[in-house]
Amino acid sequence: MSPTAPWREPMLAALDEARAALATGDVPIGAVVLDASGAEVATGRNVREAEGDPTGHAEVVALRAAARTLGEWRLDGCTLVVTLEPCTMCAGAAVLSRVSRIVFGAYDEKAGAVGSLWDVVRDRRLNHRPEVVAGVLATESTALLDDFFRARR
């Protein structure tokens, strides 16, 4: 079995969240947080346009919702599943929330901070380093973003 196989269903849920962001003109990025047992505890999508919030990235929205649901800011044992490689803000939020794992779809060569441009989550100077699983349903995630930006041009 492929190492990305267990993440297919959660990534499909994140892609559904990403598609929902299209309704508000937001960049279609979606995220899901799973607890240690693999149960979905929160979702999020980009809401920067919808809410006029520069921190309204899918990952931040999902991490905040997970903390509310679990009643704890420390998300030990949780997995953040997101359609696009997190930026520096979102990678930092994942580290600070203590998620155990980050699973992402498409790589972000322009702003990715989980290995592409920077590698915030593996920086040995930080006190927490989550496991990373990259490239899960990357083709689907990339196509959704490409279609969005092609329509804007």
Side-chain angles (χ1 to χ4, degrees):
M1 174 167 39
S2 161
T4 61
W7 308 115
R8 180 178 169 71
E9 292 304 316
M11 187 59 76
L12 288 171
L15 282 163
D16 286 343
E17 284 294 315
R19 287 183 199 94
L22 292 169
T24 57
D26 278 286
V27 177
I29 300 170
V32 172
V33 177
L34 309 172
D35 68 13
S37 73
E40 184 179 297
V41 295
T43 62
R45 60 179 158 271
N46 273 9
V47 294
R48 291 191 310 169
E49 298 298 329
E51 297 182 8
D53 179 359
T55 67
H57 290 206
E59 301 94 325
V60 171
V61 172
L63 291 169
R64 286 177 178 157
R68 280 191 304 273
T69 298
L70 298 173
E72 173 67 54
W73 68 265
R74 288 179 190 85
L75 301 178
D76 298 311
C78 289
T79 299
L80 172 64
V81 180
V82 61
T83 57
L84 181 66
E85 178 182 1
C87 68
T88 53
M89 176 181 70
C90 295
V95 168
L96 293 174
S97 70
R98 310 294 198 273
V99 295
S100 294
R101 181 179 303 105
I102 299 170
V103 176
F104 71 86
Y107 285 89
D108 186 351
E109 300 297 328
K110 293 180 182 178
V114 185
S116 288
L117 189 57
W118 296 285
D119 203 350
V120 171
V121 300
R122 292 183 193 100
D123 190 321
R124 299 197 82 49
R125 295 168 293 184
L126 299 177
N127 64 340
H128 179 74
R129 288 177 294 284
E131 173 190 353
V132 174
V133 179
V136 177
L137 299 181
T139 301
E140 294 85 340
S141 297
T142 300
L144 187 58
L145 289 162
D146 286 350
D147 290 349
F148 174 80
F149 286 112
R150 191 174 305 111
R152 291 245 188 253
R153 291 186 186 110

